[in-house]
Amino acid sequence: RLKNSPEFADIKIILVSATEITPSQVAGGIDIGADDYLTKPFDPKNLMARVRSCLKLKMVEDELKSRNAELKNLSNYLKNVREQERQSVAREVQEEVGQLTAALKMDIDWVSMKIQDLGQQEKERLAHASDKAKLIINALRKIAKALRPSMLDELGLNASLEWQCKEFASRN
């Protein structure tokens, strides 16, 4: 029960008994939180060895906690870096590649409107190129949205999750 309290959870407990302890009693003592046991009379050297063992175990546990905290911090840092990278890639896809593709589509449409004496095959090829540019623009939007929904930055996590669920439901 002592170890249930956070302030005492790390304290090592060595049970000392004046009577002979049965193995089931030892197991019961360890189950309720003891780390070791001794029966009287005991050799002081034996007690000191057990205390040193408990201290070593405590140092190892503290080191493990410290390393786990470092790993958690590193994991959080990597998540943040990954999210920033996604945001950056999404922005680049949307802004740079998307704008270039949109400009290409406008040029194709402009050429199609300005040159009147094109043959049917040339008109069809320009229409096909315009359609492909439009498909590329839509694909880029989907990729950018999948990488980092702009809604996440603008509306927050709750609204973005709600929208994402509606999108999923409408596709399935």
Side-chain angles (χ1 to χ4, degrees):
R1 296 176 199 252
L2 184 64
K3 289 198 172 192
N4 288 342
S5 173
E7 58 190 302
F8 300 117
D10 292 338
I11 294 176
K12 301 298 176 201
I13 298 172
I14 300 174
L15 294 178
V16 178
S17 175
T19 62
E20 190 65 35
I21 299 177
T22 66
S24 65
Q25 289 173 316
V26 171
I30 291 188
D31 285 344
I32 63 169
D35 296 290
D36 203 348
Y37 75 96
L38 281 173
T39 56
K40 288 183 180 179
F42 57 83
D43 181 358
K45 290 179 184 177
N46 191 1
L47 175 62
M48 289 308 296
R50 289 171 190 241
V51 168
R52 279 192 300 274
S53 176
C54 285
L55 289 173
K56 284 180 186 176
L57 181 59
K58 174 72 171 108
M59 288 186 336
V60 169
E61 288 172 350
D62 289 346
E63 181 67 20
L64 182 61
K65 285 179 185 178
S66 174
R67 296 294 170 110
N68 281 338
E70 286 178 33
L71 287 173
K72 186 175 182 178
N73 290 339
L74 180 59
S75 175
N76 289 335
Y77 173 76
L78 290 174
K79 284 179 188 176
N80 290 337
V81 167
R82 185 173 39 238
E83 185 59 31
Q84 289 171 357
E85 187 63 24
R86 282 177 157 220
Q87 190 174 9
S88 175
V89 169
R91 192 176 308 117
E92 284 183 44
V93 164
Q94 185 69 31
E95 291 177 4
E96 294 182 29
V97 180
Q99 288 177 6
L100 288 172
T101 307
L104 177 64
K105 184 183 178 334
M106 287 189 279
D107 286 346
I108 292 169
D109 291 345
W110 182 85
V111 168
S112 180
M113 290 181 352
K114 292 295 181 185
I115 302 178
Q116 299 300 321
D117 58 346
L118 288 176
Q120 186 61 30
Q121 187 177 12
E122 287 83 7
K123 287 181 182 179
E124 287 174 6
R125 293 294 289 174
L126 282 173
H128 180 73
S130 179
D131 290 343
K132 290 296 178 192
K134 189 173 183 177
L135 288 173
I136 292 170
I137 291 169
N138 289 335
L140 288 171
R141 284 184 184 147
K142 281 184 184 178
I143 291 169
K145 194 183 298 181
L147 284 171
R148 174 75 179 189
S150 59
M151 199 180 297
L152 192 58
D153 295 324
E154 295 166 9
L155 302 178
L157 181 61
N158 289 339
S160 297
L161 285 173
E162 187 176 315
W163 173 83
Q164 198 71 295
C165 289
K166 287 178 184 175
E167 282 289 308
F168 179 77
S170 71
R171 286 193 308 259
N172 296 311

